[in-house]
Amino acid sequence: MAVLAFQLKDGRPAVLGIRPESTALAVDEVYVSSYDLAGRPYALVRDGWTYRRSLDGGCLQKREGAPRIRRRLEPAEAAPVAEAARGDAEAALAALGDGPQPTPAGEEGRRRLRRIVEMDEAALGADAARFRDIYRPVGVLPPDQYLAVVLQGTEGCAWNACTFCDLFRDVRFRTRTEAEFAAHVRDVIAYFGESLALRRSVFLGSAGALCASDARVKSYLDTIGRAFAVAPRALATWGQEQWDHNAPRAIRGVHAFVDVWTGGRRTAAQWAEYAGRGLRRVYIGLESGALDLLEWLDKPFTPDQAVELVRTLRGAGVPAGVIVLLGAGGERFDEAHCRRTAEVLARMDLGPSDLLYFSEFVPSPRMGEQWAAQADLRPLSAAGCAAQRHRILGALAPFEPGRGPRVANYDIREFVY
Protein backbone atom coordinates (compact mmCIF):
# COMPACT_ATOMS: atom_id res chain seq x y z
CA MET A 1 0.00 0.00 0.00
CA ALA A 2 1.23 3.49 -0.87
CA VAL A 3 0.21 6.49 1.23
CA LEU A 4 0.22 10.11 0.09
CA ALA A 5 -0.15 12.80 2.75
CA PHE A 6 -0.77 16.38 1.59
CA GLN A 7 -2.89 19.48 2.16
CA LEU A 8 -5.93 20.59 0.24
CA LYS A 9 -5.88 24.13 -1.08
CA ASP A 10 -8.10 25.23 1.81
CA GLY A 11 -5.47 23.99 4.28
CA ARG A 12 -7.20 20.81 5.43
CA PRO A 13 -4.95 17.72 5.77
CA ALA A 14 -5.63 14.78 3.47
CA VAL A 15 -4.31 11.24 3.19
CA LEU A 16 -4.74 9.08 0.11
CA GLY A 17 -4.33 5.32 0.58
CA ILE A 18 -3.52 3.44 -2.62
CA ARG A 19 -4.14 -0.28 -2.17
CA PRO A 20 -3.92 -2.91 -4.89
CA GLU A 21 -7.67 -3.50 -4.59
CA SER A 22 -9.13 -0.14 -3.51
CA THR A 23 -8.59 3.56 -2.84
CA ALA A 24 -9.26 5.40 0.42
CA LEU A 25 -9.28 9.16 0.96
CA ALA A 26 -9.32 10.76 4.42
CA VAL A 27 -9.86 14.50 4.73
CA ASP A 28 -9.37 16.44 7.96
CA GLU A 29 -9.28 13.08 9.83
CA VAL A 30 -13.10 13.16 9.78
CA TYR A 31 -14.33 12.39 6.27
CA VAL A 32 -13.23 8.98 5.00
CA SER A 33 -14.24 7.55 1.63
CA SER A 34 -13.46 4.13 0.15
CA TYR A 35 -13.73 3.33 -3.56
CA ASP A 36 -13.26 0.32 -5.79
CA LEU A 37 -10.91 0.56 -8.75
CA ALA A 38 -13.74 1.67 -11.04
CA GLY A 39 -14.24 4.74 -8.83
CA ARG A 40 -17.48 3.53 -7.20
CA PRO A 41 -17.86 4.60 -3.54
CA TYR A 42 -18.74 1.67 -1.29
CA ALA A 43 -18.06 2.94 2.25
CA LEU A 44 -18.25 6.55 3.45
CA VAL A 45 -17.86 8.20 6.86
CA ARG A 46 -19.30 11.70 7.13
CA ASP A 47 -20.52 13.83 10.03
CA GLY A 48 -20.54 10.94 12.49
CA TRP A 49 -22.49 8.63 10.18
CA THR A 50 -21.31 5.57 8.27
CA TYR A 51 -22.77 4.95 4.83
CA ARG A 52 -22.62 1.77 2.78
CA ARG A 53 -23.54 2.27 -0.85
CA SER A 54 -24.87 -0.68 -2.85
CA LEU A 55 -24.11 -1.31 -6.50
CA ASP A 56 -27.78 -0.79 -7.40
CA GLY A 57 -27.61 2.77 -6.06
CA GLY A 58 -29.11 2.14 -2.62
CA CYS A 59 -27.48 3.31 0.59
CA LEU A 60 -27.52 2.22 4.23
CA GLN A 61 -26.93 4.88 6.89
CA LYS A 62 -25.64 3.67 10.28
CA ARG A 63 -24.58 5.05 13.62
CA GLU A 64 -23.25 3.01 16.51
CA GLY A 65 -24.34 3.60 20.09
CA ALA A 66 -27.46 3.15 22.14
CA PRO A 67 -29.73 2.87 20.38
CA ARG A 68 -28.00 1.64 17.26
CA ILE A 69 -29.43 3.45 14.25
CA ARG A 70 -29.69 2.01 10.75
CA ARG A 71 -31.77 3.41 7.93
CA ARG A 72 -32.17 2.74 4.21
CA LEU A 73 -31.89 6.02 2.35
CA GLU A 74 -34.01 6.97 -0.58
CA PRO A 75 -31.99 7.79 -3.75
CA ALA A 76 -32.65 11.50 -3.30
CA GLU A 77 -31.10 11.32 0.19
CA ALA A 78 -28.18 9.14 -0.82
CA ALA A 79 -27.02 11.11 -3.86
CA PRO A 80 -25.76 14.20 -1.92
CA VAL A 81 -23.67 11.95 0.35
CA ALA A 82 -21.84 10.39 -2.57
CA GLU A 83 -21.51 13.77 -4.27
CA ALA A 84 -19.96 15.34 -1.15
CA ALA A 85 -17.37 12.57 -1.04
CA ARG A 86 -16.69 13.08 -4.76
CA GLY A 87 -16.13 16.75 -4.00
CA ASP A 88 -13.41 15.78 -1.52
CA ALA A 89 -11.77 13.68 -4.26
CA GLU A 90 -11.98 16.61 -6.66
CA ALA A 91 -10.29 18.85 -4.11
CA ALA A 92 -7.60 16.22 -3.52
CA LEU A 93 -6.93 15.95 -7.25
CA ALA A 94 -6.60 19.73 -7.51
CA ALA A 95 -4.19 19.78 -4.58
CA LEU A 96 -1.96 17.05 -6.00
CA GLY A 97 -1.87 18.79 -9.37
CA ASP A 98 0.30 17.54 -12.23
CA GLY A 99 3.87 18.07 -11.14
CA PRO A 100 6.67 17.93 -13.72
CA GLN A 101 8.19 14.76 -12.24
CA PRO A 102 5.48 12.89 -10.36
CA THR A 103 6.44 9.81 -8.37
CA PRO A 104 4.87 6.50 -9.44
CA ALA A 105 2.64 6.61 -6.35
CA GLY A 106 1.65 10.20 -7.07
CA GLU A 107 0.79 9.43 -10.67
CA GLU A 108 -1.27 6.39 -9.66
CA GLY A 109 -3.00 8.48 -7.01
CA ARG A 110 -3.96 11.10 -9.58
CA ARG A 111 -5.17 8.42 -11.99
CA ARG A 112 -7.42 6.94 -9.35
CA LEU A 113 -8.74 10.29 -8.23
CA ARG A 114 -9.60 11.17 -11.81
CA ARG A 115 -11.60 7.95 -12.06
CA ILE A 116 -13.43 8.79 -8.83
CA VAL A 117 -14.18 12.35 -9.95
CA GLU A 118 -15.61 11.05 -13.23
CA MET A 119 -18.18 9.00 -11.27
CA ASP A 120 -20.58 11.88 -10.69
CA GLU A 121 -24.28 11.43 -9.97
CA ALA A 122 -25.14 10.75 -13.61
CA ALA A 123 -22.34 8.24 -14.05
CA LEU A 124 -23.24 6.43 -10.83
CA GLY A 125 -26.86 6.31 -11.93
CA ALA A 126 -25.90 4.78 -15.28
CA ASP A 127 -23.64 2.29 -13.51
CA ALA A 128 -26.48 1.25 -11.16
CA ALA A 129 -28.80 0.77 -14.14
CA ARG A 130 -26.21 -1.45 -15.77
CA PHE A 131 -25.94 -3.49 -12.56
CA ARG A 132 -29.72 -3.98 -12.48
CA ASP A 133 -29.64 -5.18 -16.10
CA ILE A 134 -27.14 -7.91 -15.19
CA TYR A 135 -28.44 -8.99 -11.80
CA ARG A 136 -31.69 -10.12 -10.28
CA PRO A 137 -32.10 -8.75 -6.72
CA VAL A 138 -29.32 -9.96 -4.42
CA GLY A 139 -31.40 -10.87 -1.36
CA VAL A 140 -28.76 -11.46 1.30
CA LEU A 141 -25.25 -12.85 1.75
CA PRO A 142 -23.36 -14.13 4.81
CA PRO A 143 -21.29 -11.32 6.37
CA ASP A 144 -17.95 -12.83 5.34
CA GLN A 145 -19.17 -12.74 1.72
CA TYR A 146 -20.41 -9.15 1.49
CA LEU A 147 -17.58 -8.36 -0.94
CA ALA A 148 -17.88 -11.55 -2.98
CA VAL A 149 -18.55 -11.63 -6.70
CA VAL A 150 -22.15 -12.84 -6.81
CA LEU A 151 -22.87 -15.16 -9.74
CA GLN A 152 -26.51 -16.13 -9.99
CA GLY A 153 -26.98 -19.70 -11.15
CA THR A 154 -30.53 -19.56 -9.91
CA GLU A 155 -33.09 -16.85 -9.28
CA GLY A 156 -35.22 -16.82 -6.16
CA CYS A 157 -35.59 -19.59 -3.58
CA ALA A 158 -36.76 -23.15 -4.32
CA TRP A 159 -38.61 -23.47 -1.00
CA ASN A 160 -39.73 -19.85 -0.52
CA ALA A 161 -42.14 -20.72 2.29
CA CYS A 162 -40.27 -19.94 5.52
CA THR A 163 -42.65 -17.79 7.54
CA PHE A 164 -39.93 -15.37 8.65
CA CYS A 165 -38.50 -14.59 5.19
CA ASP A 166 -39.90 -12.33 2.48
CA LEU A 167 -36.64 -11.85 0.57
CA PHE A 168 -37.76 -13.89 -2.44
CA ARG A 169 -41.51 -13.91 -1.92
CA ASP A 170 -42.30 -12.33 -5.30
CA VAL A 171 -39.47 -13.96 -7.26
CA ARG A 172 -40.26 -17.05 -9.29
CA PHE A 173 -37.62 -19.72 -8.76
CA ARG A 174 -35.65 -20.47 -11.88
CA THR A 175 -32.46 -22.36 -12.70
CA ARG A 176 -30.24 -20.88 -15.39
CA THR A 177 -29.04 -23.10 -18.21
CA GLU A 178 -25.32 -23.65 -18.69
CA ALA A 179 -25.27 -21.22 -21.62
CA GLU A 180 -27.24 -18.58 -19.68
CA PHE A 181 -24.93 -18.90 -16.71
CA ALA A 182 -21.80 -18.61 -18.88
CA ALA A 183 -23.20 -15.44 -20.49
CA HIS A 184 -24.07 -14.07 -17.03
CA VAL A 185 -20.50 -14.68 -15.84
CA ARG A 186 -19.11 -12.82 -18.86
CA ASP A 187 -21.46 -9.89 -18.21
CA VAL A 188 -20.47 -9.73 -14.54
CA ILE A 189 -16.74 -9.76 -15.34
CA ALA A 190 -17.20 -7.00 -17.90
CA TYR A 191 -19.24 -4.95 -15.41
CA PHE A 192 -16.70 -5.13 -12.58
CA GLY A 193 -13.61 -4.86 -14.74
CA GLU A 194 -10.51 -4.00 -12.73
CA SER A 195 -12.65 -3.55 -9.59
CA LEU A 196 -12.78 -7.36 -9.33
CA ALA A 197 -9.57 -6.89 -7.33
CA LEU A 198 -11.73 -5.88 -4.34
CA ARG A 199 -13.71 -9.15 -4.44
CA ARG A 200 -11.73 -12.20 -3.38
CA SER A 201 -14.38 -14.92 -3.53
CA VAL A 202 -17.38 -15.98 -5.59
CA PHE A 203 -20.81 -16.48 -4.08
CA LEU A 204 -22.96 -18.82 -6.14
CA GLY A 205 -26.50 -17.54 -5.74
CA SER A 206 -29.19 -16.83 -5.26
CA ALA A 207 -30.68 -18.69 -2.28
CA GLY A 208 -30.62 -22.19 -3.72
CA ALA A 209 -28.06 -22.66 -6.49
CA LEU A 210 -26.90 -25.93 -4.95
CA CYS A 211 -30.40 -27.38 -5.29
CA ALA A 212 -29.84 -27.65 -9.05
CA SER A 213 -29.03 -31.07 -10.48
CA ASP A 214 -25.64 -32.57 -9.77
CA ALA A 215 -24.60 -32.07 -13.40
CA ARG A 216 -25.74 -28.45 -13.38
CA VAL A 217 -23.89 -27.64 -10.15
CA LYS A 218 -20.71 -29.13 -11.62
CA SER A 219 -21.16 -27.08 -14.79
CA TYR A 220 -21.57 -23.90 -12.73
CA LEU A 221 -18.38 -24.65 -10.79
CA ASP A 222 -16.48 -25.52 -13.98
CA THR A 223 -17.62 -22.27 -15.64
CA ILE A 224 -16.40 -20.32 -12.63
CA GLY A 225 -13.12 -22.23 -12.67
CA ARG A 226 -12.54 -21.24 -16.30
CA ALA A 227 -13.34 -17.58 -15.65
CA PHE A 228 -11.42 -17.16 -12.37
CA ALA A 229 -8.20 -18.43 -10.83
CA VAL A 230 -9.39 -20.42 -7.80
CA ALA A 231 -6.79 -20.71 -5.05
CA PRO A 232 -5.85 -24.27 -4.07
CA ARG A 233 -7.28 -25.39 -0.75
CA ALA A 234 -3.84 -26.13 0.67
CA LEU A 235 -2.65 -22.52 0.60
CA ALA A 236 -1.97 -20.97 4.00
CA THR A 237 -3.24 -17.46 4.73
CA TRP A 238 -0.04 -15.79 3.58
CA GLY A 239 -0.12 -17.89 0.41
CA GLN A 240 -3.69 -16.82 -0.28
CA GLU A 241 -2.71 -13.18 0.06
CA GLN A 242 0.12 -13.68 -2.42
CA TRP A 243 -2.33 -15.48 -4.72
CA ASP A 244 -4.70 -12.50 -4.52
CA HIS A 245 -2.07 -10.13 -5.87
CA ASN A 246 -0.35 -12.34 -8.42
CA ALA A 247 -3.04 -14.44 -10.10
CA PRO A 248 -5.36 -12.84 -12.68
CA ARG A 249 -9.00 -12.77 -11.51
CA ALA A 250 -7.87 -14.46 -8.31
CA ILE A 251 -10.47 -15.78 -5.89
CA ARG A 252 -10.18 -17.86 -2.75
CA GLY A 253 -13.03 -20.15 -3.69
CA VAL A 254 -16.75 -20.50 -4.28
CA HIS A 255 -19.33 -20.19 -1.50
CA ALA A 256 -23.08 -20.83 -1.45
CA PHE A 257 -26.14 -21.36 0.68
CA VAL A 258 -27.57 -24.85 0.92
CA ASP A 259 -30.84 -25.95 2.47
CA VAL A 260 -30.88 -29.05 4.64
CA TRP A 261 -33.40 -30.97 2.55
CA THR A 262 -31.36 -30.48 -0.64
CA GLY A 263 -27.94 -30.85 0.95
CA GLY A 264 -29.01 -34.06 2.63
CA ARG A 265 -29.57 -35.67 -0.76
CA ARG A 266 -25.93 -35.17 -1.74
CA THR A 267 -23.40 -37.87 -0.94
CA ALA A 268 -20.02 -37.24 0.67
CA ALA A 269 -18.44 -38.14 -2.67
CA GLN A 270 -20.47 -35.46 -4.45
CA TRP A 271 -19.51 -32.81 -1.90
CA ALA A 272 -15.85 -33.82 -2.22
CA GLU A 273 -16.13 -33.49 -5.99
CA TYR A 274 -17.61 -29.98 -5.62
CA ALA A 275 -14.72 -29.10 -3.30
CA GLY A 276 -12.30 -30.27 -5.97
CA ARG A 277 -14.01 -27.87 -8.37
CA GLY A 278 -13.57 -24.89 -6.03
CA LEU A 279 -16.41 -25.04 -3.47
CA ARG A 280 -14.96 -23.79 -0.20
CA ARG A 281 -17.91 -23.28 2.17
CA VAL A 282 -21.66 -23.77 2.33
CA TYR A 283 -24.00 -21.89 4.67
CA ILE A 284 -26.90 -23.64 6.36
CA GLY A 285 -29.85 -21.95 8.02
CA LEU A 286 -30.26 -24.20 11.05
CA GLU A 287 -32.33 -21.44 12.74
CA SER A 288 -33.04 -23.65 15.79
CA GLY A 289 -32.45 -27.07 17.23
CA ALA A 290 -36.03 -27.22 18.55
CA LEU A 291 -38.19 -29.30 16.20
CA ASP A 292 -41.46 -27.64 17.21
CA LEU A 293 -39.97 -24.21 16.51
CA LEU A 294 -38.67 -25.35 13.11
CA GLU A 295 -42.16 -26.57 12.26
CA TRP A 296 -43.64 -23.24 13.38
CA LEU A 297 -41.13 -21.45 11.12
CA ASP A 298 -42.16 -23.80 8.27
CA LYS A 299 -38.67 -25.26 7.85
CA PRO A 300 -39.00 -28.68 6.18
CA PHE A 301 -36.26 -30.58 8.01
CA THR A 302 -35.40 -31.99 11.39
CA PRO A 303 -32.45 -31.10 13.63
CA ASP A 304 -31.07 -34.62 13.10
CA GLN A 305 -31.00 -34.02 9.34
CA ALA A 306 -29.07 -30.78 9.87
CA VAL A 307 -26.51 -32.58 12.04
CA GLU A 308 -26.09 -35.31 9.44
CA LEU A 309 -25.56 -32.74 6.66
CA VAL A 310 -22.87 -30.83 8.55
CA ARG A 311 -21.05 -34.03 9.44
CA THR A 312 -21.19 -35.16 5.81
CA LEU A 313 -19.80 -31.81 4.66
CA ARG A 314 -16.98 -31.90 7.17
CA GLY A 315 -16.12 -35.45 6.16
CA ALA A 316 -15.95 -34.33 2.53
CA GLY A 317 -13.65 -31.42 3.33
CA VAL A 318 -16.26 -28.67 2.87
CA PRO A 319 -16.46 -26.25 5.84
CA ALA A 320 -19.90 -25.15 7.02
CA GLY A 321 -21.38 -21.83 8.03
CA VAL A 322 -24.22 -22.57 10.44
CA ILE A 323 -26.79 -19.84 11.10
CA VAL A 324 -28.88 -19.66 14.28
CA LEU A 325 -31.81 -17.28 14.73
CA LEU A 326 -31.88 -15.39 18.02
CA GLY A 327 -35.34 -14.57 19.31
CA ALA A 328 -37.17 -16.89 16.92
CA GLY A 329 -40.48 -17.85 18.50
CA GLY A 330 -40.25 -15.12 21.13
CA GLU A 331 -40.99 -15.95 24.75
CA ARG A 332 -43.01 -19.08 23.92
CA PHE A 333 -40.02 -20.97 22.54
CA ASP A 334 -37.25 -19.25 24.49
CA GLU A 335 -36.14 -22.05 26.81
CA ALA A 336 -36.45 -24.91 24.30
CA HIS A 337 -34.78 -22.90 21.57
CA CYS A 338 -31.67 -22.26 23.67
CA ARG A 339 -31.35 -25.74 25.16
CA ARG A 340 -32.00 -27.76 22.02
CA THR A 341 -29.98 -25.49 19.73
CA ALA A 342 -26.95 -25.93 21.98
CA GLU A 343 -27.45 -29.70 21.90
CA VAL A 344 -27.62 -29.77 18.11
CA LEU A 345 -24.57 -27.52 17.66
CA ALA A 346 -22.58 -29.75 20.00
CA ARG A 347 -23.47 -32.80 17.90
CA MET A 348 -22.27 -31.05 14.72
CA ASP A 349 -18.71 -31.09 16.07
CA LEU A 350 -17.85 -27.79 14.38
CA GLY A 351 -14.16 -27.04 13.96
CA PRO A 352 -11.88 -24.03 13.33
CA SER A 353 -12.62 -23.99 9.59
CA ASP A 354 -16.36 -23.62 10.27
CA LEU A 355 -18.40 -20.51 11.07
CA LEU A 356 -21.21 -20.15 13.59
CA TYR A 357 -23.42 -17.14 12.95
CA PHE A 358 -26.03 -15.72 15.33
CA SER A 359 -28.68 -13.70 13.50
CA GLU A 360 -31.25 -11.64 15.38
CA PHE A 361 -34.76 -12.59 14.29
CA VAL A 362 -36.36 -9.92 12.09
CA PRO A 363 -40.01 -10.83 11.46
CA SER A 364 -41.45 -10.34 8.00
CA PRO A 365 -44.66 -8.29 7.70
CA ARG A 366 -46.56 -11.54 7.26
CA MET A 367 -45.13 -13.02 10.43
CA GLY A 368 -45.71 -9.76 12.28
CA GLU A 369 -49.43 -10.43 11.92
CA GLN A 370 -48.98 -13.82 13.58
CA TRP A 371 -47.09 -12.24 16.47
CA ALA A 372 -49.83 -9.69 17.03
CA ALA A 373 -52.53 -12.38 17.10
CA GLN A 374 -50.91 -14.58 19.78
CA ALA A 375 -50.27 -13.13 23.21
CA ASP A 376 -47.56 -15.61 24.25
CA LEU A 377 -45.48 -14.74 21.19
CA ARG A 378 -44.12 -11.57 22.72
CA PRO A 379 -40.90 -10.82 20.83
CA LEU A 380 -37.57 -10.71 22.61
CA SER A 381 -35.74 -7.41 22.84
CA ALA A 382 -32.22 -6.96 21.47
CA ALA A 383 -30.98 -7.59 25.01
CA GLY A 384 -33.08 -10.76 25.18
CA CYS A 385 -31.56 -11.97 21.90
CA ALA A 386 -28.07 -11.26 23.21
CA ALA A 387 -28.92 -13.25 26.33
CA GLN A 388 -29.99 -16.19 24.15
CA ARG A 389 -26.65 -16.09 22.36
CA HIS A 390 -24.85 -16.16 25.69
CA ARG A 391 -26.96 -19.07 26.97
CA ILE A 392 -26.50 -21.14 23.81
CA LEU A 393 -22.74 -20.68 23.81
CA GLY A 394 -22.60 -21.27 27.54
CA ALA A 395 -24.46 -24.57 27.20
CA LEU A 396 -21.97 -25.87 24.63
CA ALA A 397 -18.99 -27.80 25.92
CA PRO A 398 -16.11 -25.30 26.05
CA PHE A 399 -14.09 -25.32 22.87
CA GLU A 400 -10.40 -25.96 23.25
CA PRO A 401 -8.33 -22.98 22.09
CA GLY A 402 -8.11 -23.07 18.30
CA ARG A 403 -10.43 -26.07 18.03
CA GLY A 404 -13.89 -24.52 17.87
CA PRO A 405 -15.67 -22.60 15.09
CA ARG A 406 -15.37 -18.89 14.57
CA VAL A 407 -18.41 -17.18 16.10
CA ALA A 408 -19.88 -13.93 14.79
CA ASN A 409 -23.09 -11.91 14.58
CA TYR A 410 -25.13 -11.72 11.38
CA ASP A 411 -27.49 -8.75 11.04
CA ILE A 412 -29.50 -8.98 7.83
CA ARG A 413 -30.62 -5.37 8.34
CA GLU A 414 -27.08 -4.25 7.57
CA PHE A 415 -26.64 -6.19 4.32
CA VAL A 416 -25.59 -4.10 1.35
CA TYR A 417 -24.25 -5.41 -1.95
Side-chain angles (χ1 to χ4, degrees):
M1 173 179 172
V3 177
L4 300 176
F6 54 98
Q7 279 193 333
L8 303 184
K9 292 184 177 180
D10 61 9
R12 289 182 296 163
V15 177
L16 184 67
I18 306 170
R19 300 177 182 274
E21 73 282 359
S22 63
T23 308
L25 174 65
V27 174
D28 209 16
E29 300 182 355
V30 175
Y31 304 109
V32 183
S33 309
S34 298
Y35 301 86
D36 69 13
L37 297 186
R40 305 180 187 98
Y42 65 90
L44 306 169
V45 178
R46 306 194 68 81
D47 301 318
W49 292 96
T50 298
Y51 299 87
R52 291 295 305 274
R53 183 185 179 276
S54 60
L55 292 167
D56 67 0
C59 189
L60 176 71
Q61 180 187 43
K62 298 194 305 179
R63 176 176 283 170
E64 303 299 327
R68 192 174 189 177
I69 301 172
R70 55 176 80 81
R71 190 167 71 93
R72 302 280 173 178
L73 299 184
E74 297 295 329
E77 297 176 281
V81 178
E83 182 59 25
R86 194 186 73 87
D88 288 342
E90 199 166 30
L93 180 60
L96 286 176
D98 290 307
Q101 293 182 322
T103 64
E107 182 54 41
E108 176 63 11
R110 282 187 279 272
R111 186 188 74 82
R112 294 195 185 191
L113 286 170
R114 282 192 289 269
R115 178 69 62 86
I116 291 166
V117 170
E118 289 169 359
M119 293 296 278
D120 59 13
E121 185 175 350
L124 286 175
D127 185 80
R130 185 181 175 199
F131 173 85
R132 292 190 293 270
D133 284 340
I134 296 169
Y135 280 97
R136 298 297 177 263
V138 180
V140 72
L141 298 176
D144 63 302
Q145 294 300 306
Y146 282 0
L147 283 176
V149 181
V150 173
L151 297 175
Q152 294 177 321
T154 56
E155 300 171 10
C157 173
W159 176 245
N160 206 18
C162 299
T163 55
F164 61 88
C165 178
D166 276 341
L167 291 173
F168 303 99
R169 192 68 61 194
D170 299 323
V171 180
R172 182 176 66 87
F173 180 74
R174 177 176 175 273
T175 301
R176 281 184 163 143
T177 67
E178 295 178 32
E180 287 175 328
F181 184 69
H184 172 66
V185 172
R186 289 194 295 271
D187 289 343
V188 167
I189 289 173
Y191 169 75
F192 280 110
E194 64 177 318
S195 71
L196 281 172
L198 183 64
R199 300 172 185 276
R200 292 307 187 189
S201 64
V202 161
F203 196 89
L204 181 58
S206 290
L210 293 181
C211 77
S213 69
D214 177 62
R216 187 64 55 82
V217 171
K218 290 175 184 174
S219 76
Y220 290 162
L221 294 172
D222 288 345
T223 298
I224 294 168
R226 288 189 292 269
F228 295 87
V230 183
R233 281 184 289 177
L235 283 183
T237 300
W238 66 268
Q240 288 184 332
E241 292 174 352
Q242 189 176 39
W243 181 272
D244 292 346
H245 298 312
N246 294 337
R249 294 183 195 161
I251 61 168
R252 297 185 180 185
V254 181
H255 303 69
F257 287 119
V258 69
D259 53 70
V260 173
W261 55 98
T262 293
R265 295 196 294 265
R266 307 290 193 201
T267 66
Q270 286 175 311
W271 285 118
E273 194 166 1
Y274 298 160
R277 285 172 153 90
L279 185 65
R280 294 294 178 262
R281 187 188 310 283
V282 296
Y283 300 82
I284 301 158
L286 169 65
E287 323 307 2
S288 177
L291 179 58
D292 53 350
L293 178 51
L294 289 176
E295 292 173 344
W296 187 75
L297 293 171
D298 209 0
K299 302 290 286 190
F301 64 86
T302 67
D304 288 345
Q305 290 172 320
V307 171
E308 183 178 357
L309 172 58
V310 171
R311 287 180 170 177
T312 299
L313 288 168
R314 287 176 51 76
V318 180
V322 180
I323 304 162
V324 171
L325 279 179
L326 296 173
E331 294 181 2
R332 179 196 293 180
F333 293 96
D334 181 34
E335 191 277 332
H337 178 41
C338 290
R339 175 169 51 84
R340 294 175 183 166
T341 299
E343 292 170 356
V344 167
L345 292 173
R347 291 169 55 205
M348 287 179 172
D349 194 27
L350 299 171
S353 62
D354 301 306
L355 289 171
L356 174 56
Y357 277 125
F358 287 97
S359 182
E360 187 176 325
F361 175 68
V362 180
S364 66
R366 187 163 58 96
M367 175 160 272
E369 297 173 2
Q370 294 186 29
W371 286 79
Q374 301 179 58
D376 65 339
L377 279 176
R378 287 186 295 271
L380 296 184
S381 64
C385 291
Q388 276 196 345
R389 182 185 192 275
H390 180 77
R391 287 157 58 197
I392 291 170
L393 288 175
L396 287 168
F399 294 115
E400 295 181 29
R403 296 292 299 275
R406 289 170 287 166
V407 179
N409 291 329
Y410 181 176
D411 192 334
I412 64 171
R413 292 165 294 191
E414 297 191 0
F415 169 66
V416 168
Y417 186 65

